[in-house]
Amino acid sequence: MDTRQLILDTANKIFTDHCDKKLLDAAETGEFASELWGQVTENGFDQLGSAGSGTELADMFAFVQQCGHHAVPLPLAETLLVNFWCGPQEGLSSFGELSGDRIDDVAWGRQAQRVVGIGVEGSTLTVVETPEVIGRGTNMAGEARDQVSVGSDATTVEATEDPYAMAALTRVNLLAGGLHRVLDLGLLFATERVQFGRTISKFQAIQHSLAIVAAEVAAAQRAADAAVDAIGTDRFVYEVAAGKARVGEAVGVVAEQVHQIHGAMGFTHEHSLHHYTRRVWAWRDEWGNEFYWQALLGNHLASLGADNSWDFIATRG
Amino acid sequence: MLQFDRVSLDESTDALRAEVREFLGENQMHFPHPNSDFVTGHDPEFSRKLGEKGWIGMTWPTEYGGAERTFFERYVVTEEIVAAGAPVSAHWIADRQSGPLLLRYGTEEQRKTYLPLITRGEAFFSIGMSEPDTGSDLASVRTTATREGDAYRVNGTKIWTTDAHRNHYIICLVRTEPPGDNRHAGMSQIIIDLKNDDVQVRPIANMAGGEDFNEVVFEDVLVPADRIVGEPGNGWEQVTSELSYERSGPERFLSAFRVFVELVRACGENPAPHQAAAIGQIAAHLMTMRRMSISVAGMLEQSKDVAVEAALVKELGNNFEKVLPEIARLAVPSGPEAAAFRSTFEETLLLSPSFTLRGGTREILRGVIARGLGLR
């Protein structure tokens, strides 16, 4: 078995055991999942992709997809990327968007021992050690998103790849995994719920709805993988743009259709569907929504000109 | 089935792509008005030129005139030609569908007779599946082929038959046995010469002003018995498998591509934010579907069953072909400077209802996907 598959299988087992509704509910009220964090670090899953870990960024992003699939209530994508950029260290690292002397929307900033601020432009990262949290908040999925101040002792690090696009790529992969989970829940519900004397999966309307969802999920998966494969190439930012735009568009369709299939049950707090749908709704707006990335990609195509647009699309990779 | 493998095209395809582009550049006179809808341009001379290049039936064995190229190489050639908007309708069905059908199910004599002609761009085929009372429910075909000595007597009507008035042959799904308990049994496919005097071809004008499809009537048409594709009674298996070949190619998401090109042109070098977003939105979809289509080419190369994956590509692709003009139109202001855009847009919009009908309707494809999901 190759390394990546081993990582994914182990992670899947740990997350399946731990990331149940109880843990997700607790995390959404602000309780940090410290036991799960312990398991993750014990397995070295906070170092994937970093130098010396024996793994690559592609392994790391495959793991991030797995995190999305299980709605893991830890800022693992953030810790991993900061460890990659600034060198691995023990403890939780996170990142957010740099805004003057603040860093906004830092995932679990309150738990972080190191926070990186990422600007929309440029490749310079602002690094804050033992950060001071000046505001606490959450995204619409109840995931902690805090505000951190940038003090005079902040340092800088140069990133090799566009950091804003890298941050967006974490969301692309979380989304690919999360959307897959929403489809799985839709399939499970449709094949268990009985109405009119048969499972609702036997109704054509439900079958077509799930077919639409499956097509969107398959597209999201392919788009996410393509963006990861572009790391290190001169197309990287544009492939992330295409990925975030495409995957973000899938969110609306997938969440809407699968909620409809679940009926009122999926609208209850008791059902776990909303843990995944609220996350995909939240992630599509983090690190640039569809419009932002579509416009970035569109401006690039416009600069190439109409008669070169096909050549840009018809890439080998 | 939702895993579309990360497949990259080999570096060696670069030279082929460059060669196709050079060829297309030299043959611009064949398509003064480019259109990426594969049904719109019927140009036998252009098809023969492609045949000379070895770009028809290019994955087939050399003994039948093929070039034994990979499915990836075929993919590159087809996507370049379709994106450029060159006329491919004449040979398209023969290359994509009839040839592979004969290669897989035909008799040795049929392969030797028809495949080399197809690869030279000298034999064009039509599909005879739909009938006036048979649309998506293909098992309900009524056209009969009754054995009489060493011939079959064919009676019935086929409809929506693209290019039957210009092509050489039609492969018809017929009943060689009356329907019984198993409605998929007793069906066969038979190759009929469209130039046969007893075959009547009546044009049907479409709403876009085109006259590429037809009604084809067979009244006591005698067809030699050796024109049955492979074995009699094998028709159902044949049509279901050939329909999956035809569902994943670049023509399933590029039909409206020229609208995109004109959109980029109309928006200029410094588009407004909403214009840039429209361009980027379309590009993101095209880039993703293209990779999914290449993943399927990889599966074909490994001789895997692609029925569900191909249906997924067609579902996404055909729907997007219809959405593309809708996104584009809102981004381009009206006025004389947008004339080129309007012309391409209107032509494509008028063709667009056909995108989610041909090759299996959206509803049928969703059924195929649902079966793949284990729901049926």
Side-chain angles (χ1 to χ4, degrees):
Chain A
M1 195 185 296
D2 66 10
T3 317
R4 186 178 306 171
Q5 200 53 50
L6 191 66
I7 292 164
L8 295 179
D9 288 350
T10 311
N12 186 42
K13 188 169 181 319
I14 294 172
F15 294 155
T16 304
D17 289 347
H18 284 79
C19 297
D20 53 11
K21 178 148 178 64
K22 195 168 153 238
L23 186 82
L24 295 177
D25 278 334
E28 288 175 21
T29 60
E31 197 178 312
F32 183 71
S34 42
E35 194 193 327
L36 179 59
W37 175 260
Q39 291 257 335
V40 166
T41 49
E42 231 170 75
N43 282 280
F45 290 159
D46 56 338
Q47 314 282 321
L48 298 174
S50 287
S53 71
T55 53
E56 324 172 328
L57 282 176
D59 301 316
M60 177 193 120
F61 281 110
F63 172 78
V64 170
Q65 284 188 15
Q66 187 83 259
C67 294
H69 189 80
H70 291 277
V72 176
L74 294 169
L76 286 172
E78 287 82 356
T79 295
L80 285 163
L81 211 42
V82 173
N83 280 339
F84 169 75
W85 277 325
C86 306
Q89 76 174 35
E90 296 255 325
L92 194 149
S93 297
S94 190
F95 59 68
E97 186 162 343
L98 185 67
S99 175
D101 58 359
R102 302 190 319 263
I103 304 173
D104 293 334
D105 292 324
V106 180
W108 287 97
R110 64 196 78 165
Q111 292 285 336
Q113 281 146 47
R114 177 172 58 175
V115 167
V116 160
I118 299 166
V120 177
E121 303 280 335
S123 59
T124 307
L125 302 165
T126 302
V127 186
V128 179
E129 304 283 350
T130 55
E132 183 198 349
V133 174
I134 52 175
R136 289 184 174 211
T138 61
N139 66 14
M140 70 173 290
E143 294 183 305
R145 296 288 184 263
D146 302 327
Q147 213 169 47
V148 162
S149 66
V150 179
S152 53
D153 53 350
T155 55
T156 60
V157 165
E158 284 301 309
T160 46
E161 301 278 354
D162 184 291
Y164 194 85
M166 264 308 204
L169 186 55
T170 64
R171 294 308 183 264
V172 170
N173 284 280
L174 286 171
L175 281 165
L179 289 170
H180 215 131
R181 183 58 169 267
V182 176
L183 167 65
D184 290 347
L185 289 171
L187 290 170
L188 184 69
F189 188 84
T191 47
E192 286 181 346
R193 172 74 170 165
V194 175
Q195 287 290 279
F196 304 103
R198 46 188 169 155
T199 62
I200 62 169
S201 63
K202 297 298 167 199
F203 292 96
Q204 199 174 42
I206 302 291
Q207 291 175 355
H208 285 198
S209 169
L210 285 166
I212 292 165
V213 170
E216 289 299 306
V217 171
Q221 176 76 53
R222 190 67 194 89
D225 288 345
V228 172
D229 290 343
I231 294 172
T233 72
D234 56 5
R235 297 176 63 93
F236 174 64
V237 173
Y238 306 118
E239 293 292 353
V240 171
K244 189 73 165 55
R246 182 64 188 87
V247 176
E249 260 194 81
V251 168
V253 178
V254 171
E256 197 276 333
Q257 297 277 344
V258 175
H259 266 294
Q260 181 68 17
I261 288 168
H262 278 79
M265 284 190 204
F267 187 57
T268 62
H269 181 77
E270 191 186 345
H271 199 283
S272 59
L273 176 62
H274 66 86
H275 289 297
Y276 306 95
T277 53
R278 284 185 297 122
R279 275 170 178 74
V280 292
W281 278 327
W283 294 336
R284 69 176 167 174
D285 283 331
E286 292 182 336
W287 302 102
N289 65 15
E290 294 94 282
F291 190 89
Y292 172 84
W293 289 109
Q294 287 162 356
L296 184 142
L297 180 58
N299 277 317
H300 180 63
L301 278 154
S303 75
L304 296 173
D307 294 321
N308 294 316
S309 58
W310 172 247
D311 188 50
F312 177 82
I313 289 167
T315 171
R316 268 199 276 112
Chain B
M1 64 169 255
L2 293 179
Q3 184 66 50
F4 283 76
D5 288 344
R6 306 158 102 132
V7 175
S8 299
L9 296 171
D10 206 79
E11 261 177 61
S12 67
T13 58
D14 286 354
L16 177 62
R17 191 182 294 282
E19 191 184 349
V20 178
R21 287 185 186 174
E22 190 188 343
F23 170 86
L24 290 168
E26 287 164 359
N27 284 281
Q28 285 286 326
M29 62 284 198
H30 287 280
F31 50 115
H33 305 291
N35 188 323
S36 290
D37 181 347
F38 67 94
V39 170
T40 50
H42 191 284
D43 184 338
E45 193 190 334
F46 183 76
S47 292
R48 273 191 287 275
K49 286 184 179 177
L50 284 174
E52 275 169 29
K53 296 294 284 185
W55 292 339
I56 302 178
M58 57 190 288
T59 62
W60 309 345
T62 46
E63 59 175 312
Y64 306 122
E68 298 189 5
R69 308 289 288 258
T70 67
F71 281 90
F72 296 118
E73 290 172 313
R74 177 174 187 275
Y75 181 88
V76 167
V77 171
T78 52
E79 74 167 358
E80 285 294 327
I81 294 172
V82 172
V88 294
S89 170
H91 69 275
W92 198 258
I93 300 302
D95 174 60
R96 179 186 73 189
Q97 201 157 335
S98 316
L101 171 76
L102 295 177
L103 199 57
R104 179 160 173 197
Y105 292 105
T107 64
E108 182 60 17
E109 194 200 333
Q110 287 164 353
R111 288 196 278 259
K112 286 201 164 124
T113 307
Y114 300 107
L115 296 182
L117 287 172
I118 292 173
T119 60
R120 291 201 297 269
E122 291 171 7
F124 306 141
F125 280 69
S126 291
I127 299 167
M129 293 190 192
S130 298
E131 295 183 3
D133 293 320
T134 295
S136 293
D137 180 14
L138 272 184
S140 70
V141 293
R142 288 187 199 156
T143 300
T144 55
T146 313
R147 186 75 189 242
E148 286 182 13
D150 53 7
Y152 281 90
R153 183 180 294 275
V154 179
N155 280 291
T157 303
K158 293 292 175 183
I159 201 165
W160 323 131
T161 318
T162 302
D163 293 331
H165 59 314
R166 306 187 261 223
N167 288 350
H168 304 98
Y169 301 101
I170 181 169
I171 297 184
C172 285
L173 180 66
V174 295
R175 284 225 154 265
T176 39
E177 301 287 340
D181 288 344
N182 176 3
R183 62 199 295 265
H184 297 155
M187 301 202 291
S188 306
Q189 292 209 93
I190 189 164
I191 307 162
I192 302 176
D193 190 339
L194 281 164
K195 308 298 175 200
N196 183 317
D197 287 343
D198 297 327
V199 177
Q200 299 165 52
V201 178
R202 300 172 186 155
I204 301 173
N206 69 32
M207 63 176 265
E211 291 200 343
D212 32 61
F213 64 14
N214 300 276
E215 182 179 57
V216 185
V217 180
F218 306 92
E219 270 180 19
D220 288 326
V221 179
L222 285 175
V223 182
D226 62 8
R227 304 285 172 86
I228 289 278
V229 177
E231 295 294 315
N234 196 28
W236 185 256
E237 183 188 330
Q238 292 174 11
V239 293
T240 48
S241 90
E242 78 181 270
L243 283 170
S244 78
Y245 296 137
E246 71 152 298
R247 283 177 175 157
S248 68
E251 75 275 21
R252 294 304 182 191
F253 58 89
L254 287 176
S255 302
F257 183 71
R258 300 311 300 181
V259 178
F260 174 70
V261 174
E262 293 311 318
L263 167 70
V264 179
R265 202 183 317 281
C267 293
E269 273 178 47
N270 295 299
H274 73 283
Q275 293 179 314
I279 295 168
Q281 183 181 8
I282 294 168
H285 277 268
L286 292 174
M287 289 158 75
T288 304
M289 290 183 295
R290 178 173 174 274
R291 289 190 167 107
M292 296 174 83
S293 184
I294 292 172
S295 299
V296 177
M299 295 178 70
L300 289 170
E301 188 65 28
Q302 295 168 29
S303 306
K304 287 187 183 165
D305 177 13
V306 299
V308 180
E309 286 78 5
L312 281 163
V313 172
K314 187 174 184 299
E315 155 76 9
L316 287 166
N318 288 168
N319 290 328
F320 192 72
E321 288 176 336
K322 289 173 124 173
V323 173
L324 191 163
E326 297 294 308
I327 297 169
R329 64 180 261 275
L330 296 177
V332 180
S334 55
E337 60 279 4
F341 172 81
R342 281 306 297 185
S343 146
T344 304
F345 163 76
E346 286 171 12
E347 184 182 8
T348 301
L349 186 63
L350 288 172
L351 293 167
S352 68
S354 70
F355 298 166
T356 48
L357 300 175
R358 59 195 186 194
T361 64
R362 178 158 68 200
E363 289 69 23
I364 289 294
L365 290 164
R366 288 180 180 166
V368 172
I369 296 166
R371 188 172 292 119
L373 291 169
L375 300 175
R376 303 178 60 192

